[in-house]
Each structure stands twice: as structure tokens, then as C-alpha cells.
């Protein structure tokens, strides 16, 4: 990114964006800032070839493209600021690849955040939705990050997804929100992932709502599938950055600027929610219930 303020090297800056994902790790003792090139070098897919590396750069405005190591509420974390999307042209398994890298680094918990459009009419712009479940539309067409030969070192061929979003982590997040006085804009619901980059038509949006979706976006679900495959515990938090247009009389149009603007306005609240939640997380080994869920 060209914005020098965005490049400010502290771990809290890593949390002010809406499109980060944050992974708790036990084994990283390093507090430093590196760029996304390190991630690519660590990739098992050989993305460290300089020619490939040029192709694999984050291309979404507002996504900083940084990998940040540090301590969050006293816990060792690695934060990825910005992510790969399929609409940038990458295979879905490549988009989810950083999750496997974090797993190899020793991370046991994935906290994934995103920006989404609200489908549930009870929601408002600026609400924060704890993700309870997902509708992974690329998966219906066979585009699953686990497609292909299964590498048993990461996990089994077939995995359950009925417990994808950890119930205890969701409860912790609600508690953290309550402590912060965030209840009035906290929600829980089902996140739908579409391929993008075009936003939904009105007919598509209505279908998503009919199918039980509360919010929709163009990311996250494939990352969660890969995290569950390798036994990571998952918490998903979605910021409702805009309300999806559901009516033919509506003149308002979906746009990325509104998404970024709401992200800026609610950035601090998202940050404090994640910080408070991380503070309360226990290592899975210390907690029978959590270990069982992994
Ligand atoms: O899901 P994240 O990466 O937060 O970004 C969301 O915002 C962008 C659209 O404005 C899309 O990339 C959508 O998925």
C-alpha cells in the first residue's frame, strides 16, 4: 500500500482493518513486521519463484498485504492483513494456503474477520455479526479448497463442517462484546460466500436470504474449511459494511467505497472486540471441551 499511515509498524494497526485474519500461535517468539513475501516463501506450492511472486500479490484496495507477528493480549499471534480472493484470479486452494502455513507455524486457533453485506432486514450498517455457520456457494459447484489429492499430514479426506464455528469461541466473543458495551450492535448469523467480484443482483440477494443467509461476501468460507481440515478452532467475525439491495425500487448501488468507509468507522470496535476475546481464549490443551471440538 502507498499509505504510510497504513504501514505503521505496530500490531494494533494490524487489527484496525476489517479484512484481517488473525491466528493465535504458541511457537512464535518474534515481534517484527514482515511483508507478504515471507508468506509466499513459506508456501509449499513453490510461489517463491520470482515470476510467480509477482503474480501473487494482493490486489484489493484497502487490503494492506502485510503479515504481522506479535503479542495480542499477551498471546503470540500472527496476523495477515489482507487476503487472497478467488476473483483476483487465484485457485481457491491458493487463497486458503496461508491458513496451512499458520497451522505449520503451530497456530491452533483461527480468528477470521471480513466485511459483508447485510441480508437480514433486522441488521444495520455497522453491526458486527459473529458467524454461526456458512453457505459456501463455490463449493456447490465443486470448487472446494480440499479438492484433489488429500494430504493426510494436514487432515483426513472427509471432514465434518457442522461444528465449523466453535460454539465456545462464539460465547466468549458475546461475553467480550457485553463487557465492552457492544451488545446493541452485536449479531449472530449465517455468512454466504459468493465468488465476486460483481455484487449480487436483487434476485440473487433474495435467494440468499430465502436460503437462510444473514450476510454475504466474497471470502472466508474456504479459509475456514482448510482450518477445520487441519484441526484448527475457528472464530468468524463479520462487519456489516452495507445493506444488500433487495428491492427493485431501491436506487442505492453496492460499492466498495462504502465497504471501506464502514470498516474505518467500526475499526476500533472490531479491534477491541478481538483483543478482549483473545484475552479470554484458553489454549485448547487446557480445556477439554475445546480440544474435543478441534
Ligand atoms: O471478505 P473481505 O476480504 O473482507 O472483503 C469484502 O469486501 C470486498 C467487496 O467490497 C470483497 O472482497 C468482500 O469479500
Amino acid at each position: 500500500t502507498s499509505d504510510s499511515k497504513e504501514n505503521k509498524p505496530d500490531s494494533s494497526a494490524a487489527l484496525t482493518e476489517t479484512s484481517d485474519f488473525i491466528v493465535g500461535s504458541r511457537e512464535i517468539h518474534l515481534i517484527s513486521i514482515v511483508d507478504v513475501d515471507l508468506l509466499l516463501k513459506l508456501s509449499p506450492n513453490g510461489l517463491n519463484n520470482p515470476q510467480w511472486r509477482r503474480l501473487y500479490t494482493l490486489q484489493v484496495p484497502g487490503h494492506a498485504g502485510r503479515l504481522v507477528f506479535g503479542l495480542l493480549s499477551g498471546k503470540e499471534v500472527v496476523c495477515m492483513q489482507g487476503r487472497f480472493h478467488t476473483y483476483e484470479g487465484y485457485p481457491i486452494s491458493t487463497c486458503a494456503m496461508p491458513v496451512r502455513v499458520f497451522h505449520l507455524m503451530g497456530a491452533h486457533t483461527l480468528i477470521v474477520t471480513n466485511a459483508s453485506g447485510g441480508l437480514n432486514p433486522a441488521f444495520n450498517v455497522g453491526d458486527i455479526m459473529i458467524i454461526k455457520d456458512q453457505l459456501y456457494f463455490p463449493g456447490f459447484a465443486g470448487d472446494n479448497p480440499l479438492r484433489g489429492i488429500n494430504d493426510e499430514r494436514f487432515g483426513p479426506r472427509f471432514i465434518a463442517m457442522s461444528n465449523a464455528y466453535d460454539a465456545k469461541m462464539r460465547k466468549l466473543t458475546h461475553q467480550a462484546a457485553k463487557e465492552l458495551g457492544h451488545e446493541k450492535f452485536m449479531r449472530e448469523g449465517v455468512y454466504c460466500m459468493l465468488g465476486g467480484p460483481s455484487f449480487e443482483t436483487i434476485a440473487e440477494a433474495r435467494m440468499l436470504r430465502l436460503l437462510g443467509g444473514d450476510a454475504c461476501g466474497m471470502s472466508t468460507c474456504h479459509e475456514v474449511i482448510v482450518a477445520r481440515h487441519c484441526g484448527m478452532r475457528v472464530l468468524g467475525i463479520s462487519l456489516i459494511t452495507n445493506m444488500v439491495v433487495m428491492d427493485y425500487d431501491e436506487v442505492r448501488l453496492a460499492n466498495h467505497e462504502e465497504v471501506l468507509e464502514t470498516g474505518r468507522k467500526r475499526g476500533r470496535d472490531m479491534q477491541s472486540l478481538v483483543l478482549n476475546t483473545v484475552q479470554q481464549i484458553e489454549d485448547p490443551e487446557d480445556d477439554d471441551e475445546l480440544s474435543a471440538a478441534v
Side-chain angles (χ1 to χ4, degrees), residues 16 92 105 115 157 201:
T16 56
I92 203 124
M105 287 173 169
R157 168 79 290 180
T201 63

Side-chain angles (χ1 to χ4, degrees), residues 38-251:
L38 176 68
L39 181 68
L40 300 181
K41 279 181 199 149
L42 290 168
S43 151
N45 295 357
L47 301 184
N48 55 346
N49 173 316
Q51 262 186 331
W52 281 68
R53 203 184 311 163
R54 230 178 330 113
L55 292 173
Y56 285 82
T57 52
L58 294 164
Q59 300 165 4
V60 186
H63 285 238
R66 273 185 304 227
L67 191 61
V68 182
F69 296 88
L71 291 174
L72 201 64
S73 301
K75 294 194 167 63
E76 292 155 354
V77 298
V78 49
C79 307
M80 190 167 133
Q81 215 178 0
R83 55 157 60 89
F84 298 113
H85 300 85
T86 51
Y87 62 74
E88 293 170 72
Y90 310 129
I92 203 124
S93 54
T94 301
C95 293
M97 168 273 291
V99 175
R100 282 194 167 171
V101 175
F102 297 147
H103 165 70
L104 292 172
M105 287 173 169
H108 53 63
T109 302
L110 175 72
I111 302 180
V112 60
T113 71
N114 64 42
S116 66
L119 296 163
N120 185 328
F123 286 8
N124 296 302
V125 171
D127 283 352
I128 295 178
M129 182 183 89
I130 297 173
I131 304 177
K132 182 181 184 177
D133 203 348
Q134 66 184 35
L135 276 168
Y136 173 55
F137 280 91
F140 288 105
D143 200 8
N144 191 297
L146 303 180
R147 185 174 166 214
I149 294 168
N150 184 55
D151 188 337
E152 295 281 334
R153 290 172 300 179
F154 287 105
R157 168 79 290 180
F158 300 104
I159 57 156
M161 285 295 288
S162 50
N163 60 351
Y165 293 89
D166 187 84
K168 190 151 186 179
M169 294 280 288
R170 282 190 275 131
K171 202 169 156 198
L172 280 185
T173 312
H174 279 298
Q175 271 164 14
K178 200 169 170 193
E179 280 167 24
L180 291 163
H182 283 181
E183 298 114 302
K184 55 188 176 303
F185 53 83
M186 289 307 296
R187 311 282 184 177
E188 191 164 272
V190 175
Y191 174 85
C192 310
M193 177 184 169
L194 306 154
S198 46
F199 288 106
E200 308 66 48
T201 63
I202 290 170
E204 286 163 352
R206 289 179 172 186
M207 179 198 74
L208 296 176
R209 182 67 192 141
L210 264 178
L211 293 180
D214 292 298
C216 63
M218 308 166 192
S219 71
T220 302
C221 297
H222 53 299
E223 296 157 355
V224 172
I225 291 170
V226 166
R228 293 302 298 147
H229 182 243
C230 57
M232 292 168 85
R233 189 173 53 173
V234 175
L235 170 68
I237 305 177
S238 189
L239 175 63
I240 309 296
T241 51
N242 56 289
M243 287 305 290
V244 175
V245 178
M246 306 280 273
D247 210 305
Y248 288 100
D249 294 333
E250 178 88 62
V251 286

